[in-house]
Amino acid sequence: MTYPPPGPGQPGPHAPYPPPPPPMPGDHGPGSPYGSGAEKTNGLAIAAFVTGLLGCLGVVGLVLGAVALSQISKKGGKGRGLAIAGIVLSCLWIVGGIAAFALSGDGSSGDAGATPKVTQTKPKEVDAKKMKVGDCINDNSGATSTATEEPVEVESVKIVPCAGPHDGEVTAVFRLKGFVMPPEARLQQLASNGCKLRTQARINRDPAARGIANSYYYPTADSWKSGDRVVTCVAVAAADGKKLSRPLHR
């Protein structure tokens, strides 16, 4: 540090000090702080580039790169190229992740005409009162025949795959009200009306609706005494002796 030289003609006890030499190229001028920020590489730009390379935090790299570009434009500094590279790499990782999810999300192989896989159900014998909506059944008792005139007591049915031939598909299950069992004709009417109310609209939506009829299982006198009030609605083929070959449309 030096004092300014005495003014012209001003006496002094000593000879005036020589003026300071002009700054050399690369030297900091008077008042220039050491290590100016314009010469530093922005730390966020470096972080954006590294994050973009890793790819595991694509959104973070995108944000860091944007903040780094904003800081560089306002305060100066190096690292603009690193920030842009980090943004580009992060965008590539994000787009790649979205594309991979879209291709694998629906489980398709890209063949528009491929037949969807059908889950196979192993045939098994179950209690007739334990049938559930969506079960496809075979009933060797003849109860599902549309030509049956007399009621047939059924103790069990066989659950089979809906994609293969089957006697019927369970479309609804509901409970009857009352303590005293109605006469047989009235019981059949309650079961029939209840099933039509719950399932006829769905049957009508099926492309093969004309070939499908409504059938049902209802309590016997003995099961009624033990508390059974369940009616099970079953869609069957309208033509006697025929079977359904696929599940009904939802």
Side-chain angles (χ1 to χ4, degrees), residues 121-144:
T121 302
K122 185 178 180 180
K124 61 178 179 178
E125 201 86 12
V126 299
D127 190 314
K129 295 191 290 293
K130 295 183 179 180
M131 289 185 287
K132 303 185 297 296
V133 174
D135 285 345
C136 291
I137 64 166
N138 276 337
D139 182 358
N140 295 328
S141 67
T144 56

Side-chain angles (χ1 to χ4, degrees), residues 93-122:
W93 280 107
I94 293 171
V95 172
I98 294 173
F101 178 79
L103 291 175
S104 62
D106 58 359
S108 61
S109 60
D111 185 359
T115 303
K117 295 182 179 179
V118 178
T119 302
Q120 296 296 324
T121 302
K122 185 178 180 180

